[in-house]
Amino acid sequence: RSMSAAPGREGFFGSALPVFSTSAALTAGQSHRFGGVDDAGRAAIAASTPGTYRSNLGLIESSGQPVVVRLTLRYSFSTGIKTSAEGLSSLSVPVAANGFVILNEISRAVIGSSRDGYGDLRNMQLDVEVVSGAGRVSPFVQTIENGSTDSAIRIQ
């Protein structure tokens, strides 16, 4: 379960990870694509801009065996008033046996320091692939609306 508070508002907002079968978890050579992933730039996050979203990725290893997961992010960004470019970035992430890894602001984690120059990234595709190890990984994406801090968790 994820809980957060919005500045200037009473109470907490949150979401819970849905129950899913460990047999549906990814094994070596398998992958899962999350489409429509948004990740706001730092300015939108700091200003709590409504209608912008930040996204986190969670990886849960459930079989007691370590794995390495490759994350591949496909995104578009503005390069001028009338032009844009396509980006492709990858990152390998080790997940320990029975481990839980959370990557906050997924685009920053995968793209790195050049992420700061891209502003709000919308409708990205994130591929999660188990590239080695005998374990099983269940990925999920947590999306948080910056204005309200409402959150949703996706496993598909």
Side-chain angles (χ1 to χ4, degrees):
R1 182 155 174 83
S2 170
M3 301 291 289
S4 62
R9 298 178 122 191
E10 290 187 32
F12 291 88
F13 301 90
S15 57
L17 185 62
V19 175
F20 52 89
S21 170
T22 57
S23 65
L26 303 175
T27 60
Q30 294 182 320
S31 64
H32 181 77
R33 175 171 286 170
F34 291 97
V37 177
D38 290 356
D39 212 11
R42 289 274 166 102
I45 294 170
S48 299
T49 305
T52 63
Y53 302 86
R54 62 187 184 275
S55 295
N56 307 319
L57 174 71
L59 302 168
I60 302 168
E61 197 294 312
S62 57
S63 69
Q65 299 291 323
V67 295
V68 175
V69 175
R70 180 185 308 124
L71 308 175
T72 303
L73 192 64
R74 291 170 176 79
Y75 52 97
S76 298
F77 57 95
S78 176
T79 57
I81 294 172
K82 295 183 179 182
T83 60
S84 65
E86 299 291 319
L88 178 71
S89 298
S90 293
L91 174 70
S92 291
V93 178
V95 182
N98 298 312
F100 172 70
V101 174
I102 187 88
L103 298 172
N104 293 318
E105 297 179 55
I106 187 62
S107 63
R108 180 168 312 288
V110 176
I111 297 170
S113 61
S114 64
R115 163 65 182 100
D116 292 333
Y118 299 149
D120 295 344
L121 295 174
R122 298 184 184 272
N123 202 27
M124 297 182 294
Q125 289 182 346
L126 173 64
D127 292 330
V128 178
E129 179 184 9
V130 178
V131 293
S132 67
R136 301 181 74 85
V137 170
S138 298
F140 66 89
V141 171
Q142 177 192 34
T143 302
I144 303 166
E145 202 274 344
N146 290 312
S148 67
T149 69
D150 288 343
S151 66
I153 293 181
R154 297 170 40 199
I155 59 172
Q156 295 184 358

